[in-house]
Amino acid sequence: MNHYYIIYKPYLVQSQFSPVEGKRTLADFFDVPKDVYPVGRLDHDSEGLLILTNDKQLNHRLLHPSFQHEREYWVQVDGAITTTAIQELQRGVNISIDGKKHRTLPCSVSVFSNEPQVPIRNPPIRYRKEIPAPWIRMVLKEGKNRQVRRMTASVGFPTLRLIRYRIEDITIDGLQPGDIVDLSRKQLYQQLFHE
């Protein structure tokens, strides 16, 4: 039987159930059947939406680059990000992935006019009164390793906090870190693939 869950992965938690010495994993927060695993990953220092399943077909359809699903990230950056930097991110920037140069695909990037309502992070970001830390919204159709962090750093505004808010029509609205929602295959596939 296939299972489908969406979770809000907390900060400083590995995106796996198998133990990692000295680090918290999904097993510390979520009690799911043994054959369920995360589709894709979020870095240890990122938080937000992860899909858990034992549906191997879903894994392929979400992770294969040919499908280009939208992934929306809410990103708090270090410094008052400029219009020029936003435009560079939108057009695509050069980042290094495993020692090779990668040009990111064009994407949608905008600055939040009001700070988004997000859970308090523990520990919080390093706060410096004299340096702004605005939030931007980035919608990508690819998911390279640490891509968002590499992108914002490449235009001079390092990422302080990173939340994956959405994959296609599935969001973490109403969820807190450590929350889990059980979905049917139909619900999940409708929201991901509009089937």
Side-chain angles (χ1 to χ4, degrees):
M1 183 177 153
N2 284 341
H3 298 278
Y4 303 90
Y5 306 96
I6 59 170
I7 64 167
Y8 188 128
K9 183 190 90 67
Y11 178 59
L12 297 184
V13 173
Q14 297 291 112
S15 289
Q16 63 190 64
F17 285 96
S18 46
V20 182
E21 193 173 335
K23 295 196 170 163
R24 293 187 303 168
T25 69
L26 299 177
D28 294 316
F29 295 87
F30 306 105
D31 183 17
V32 295
K34 287 279 178 270
D35 61 343
V36 165
Y37 55 89
V39 178
R41 57 191 298 278
L42 274 175
D43 296 318
H44 181 245
D45 51 358
S46 300
E47 57 193 290
L49 179 62
L50 256 186
I51 296 171
L52 307 180
T53 189
N54 53 358
D55 178 349
K56 292 185 170 40
Q57 182 192 358
L58 177 64
N59 200 48
H60 171 72
R61 286 185 62 177
L62 268 184
L63 298 185
H64 196 278
S66 64
F67 292 109
Q68 294 200 348
H69 299 292
E70 278 194 357
R71 303 163 174 91
E72 180 175 328
Y73 297 88
W74 293 1
V75 191
Q76 193 172 18
V77 294
D78 195 5
I81 193 162
T82 61
T83 305
T84 306
I86 294 284
Q87 288 166 347
E88 280 181 56
L89 291 170
Q90 288 171 334
R91 283 194 298 268
V93 293
N94 292 320
I95 58 176
S96 175
I97 303 288
D98 300 327
K100 295 186 188 77
K101 190 169 100 168
H102 173 74
R103 178 93 184 159
T104 62
L105 295 175
C107 63
S108 164
V109 184
S110 56
V111 180
F112 278 92
S113 44
N114 297 311
E115 196 168 301
Q117 294 299 304
V118 297
I120 291 167
R121 195 184 84 180
N122 187 19
I125 65 159
R126 188 181 74 241
Y127 179 70
R128 295 178 300 170
K129 198 166 56 177
E130 68 285 0
I131 298 181
W135 286 87
I136 62 172
R137 175 188 283 111
M138 296 179 68
V139 181
L140 308 183
K141 290 195 170 179
E142 59 182 337
K144 303 290 184 194
N145 184 30
R146 296 185 77 77
Q147 179 169 341
V148 169
R149 292 175 188 280
R150 293 174 201 267
M151 287 175 72
T152 68
S154 78
V155 296
F157 296 91
T159 292
L160 297 172
R161 186 175 179 190
L162 177 56
I163 300 172
R164 180 159 59 201
Y165 168 72
R166 173 175 71 83
I167 301 173
E168 286 297 324
D169 295 342
I170 293 179
T171 74
I172 51 168
D173 275 344
L175 299 185
Q176 292 292 315
D179 283 355
I180 183 167
V181 177
D182 193 343
L183 294 178
S184 69
R185 181 187 189 279
K186 185 178 178 189
Q187 287 172 307
L188 193 85
Y189 274 65
Q190 271 180 343
Q191 292 180 73
L192 287 178
F193 311 121
H194 309 110
E195 288 184 356

